[in-house]
Amino acid sequence: KPLPDGGLFVCGPVGSHKSHLLAARTADAYTRGFESKFVSWSDILLSVRGSFKQGGRSESEIIGDLIDLDYLAIDDMPTGRVGRKETAFSHRVAYAVLDGRYGRGSRCTTDISTNLLLEEMDHAFDERIVRRIKEQTTTYTMLLETKQ
């Protein structure tokens, strides 16, 4: 069974099970034989930053591995709060990953979870990154049901 066309942009408040949904989709893709990975945005940034040390994997190898996956779930992107711009480093990594996966077209699926609404992503990332997210995903908003 093929991967679905396009990924998901899953937004909602803390505790609305966004990560659980992406983890389940990762497990499903993996059990169907697709190269799959579930990773937090902060772990991606830490891995790339760690590549600056000598002797480790290079930045291009780390990003290349993410680009080459059939299915990639990026959890909690961005790491900042509403209205806070991500760093230039974060922008560079985000664009490299998302643009590289965009270049693969329908041969890969990218899901993203976040606490921000899609229109709030404009405050965290520049237009090129937000455009890549919009072009590769369908937006789903998770609602948090409160117990009374």
Side-chain angles (χ1 to χ4, degrees):
K1 193 172 181 183
L3 281 167
D5 290 336
L8 301 180
F9 178 83
V10 183
C11 55
V14 171
S16 60
H17 307 289
K18 303 175 299 291
S19 300
H20 183 87
L21 173 63
L22 268 57
R25 284 175 52 90
T26 305
D28 178 61
Y30 178 78
T31 59
R32 291 191 288 140
F34 295 102
E35 284 190 74
S36 309
K37 184 168 188 154
F38 175 94
V39 63
S40 71
W41 179 239
S42 60
D43 283 347
I44 290 173
L45 295 177
L46 288 171
S47 293
V48 172
R49 187 168 285 125
S51 73
F52 301 154
K53 297 177 185 173
Q54 287 186 335
R57 295 179 65 221
S58 72
E59 177 178 342
S60 62
E61 288 173 321
I62 293 167
I63 291 173
D65 287 349
L66 295 172
I67 291 169
D68 291 341
L69 291 165
D70 298 317
Y71 173 83
L72 174 63
I74 302 174
D75 194 35
D76 290 331
M77 180 184 190
T79 55
R81 293 182 294 276
V82 175
R84 186 172 150 234
K85 200 75 158 169
E86 287 286 290
T87 64
F89 170 71
S90 182
H91 275 81
R92 183 173 50 112
V93 173
Y95 190 75
V97 171
L98 294 173
D99 189 59
R101 292 184 64 75
Y102 177 78
R104 290 194 55 211
S106 63
R107 295 173 295 162
C108 67
T109 299
T110 307
D111 289 351
I112 297 170
S113 76
T114 182
N115 296 332
L116 304 180
L117 297 172
L118 187 56
E119 52 271 12
E120 293 171 326
M121 291 293 277
D122 289 331
H123 300 292
F125 290 108
D126 66 30
E127 181 184 341
R128 298 176 317 150
I129 295 166
V130 175
R131 186 174 60 242
R132 286 292 183 251
I133 292 170
K134 289 178 181 178
E135 290 168 344
Q136 295 179 66
T137 63
T138 300
T139 301
Y140 288 90
T141 303
M142 305 286 282
L143 302 175
L144 180 62
E145 193 173 304
T146 57
K147 295 179 182 178
Q148 303 222 9

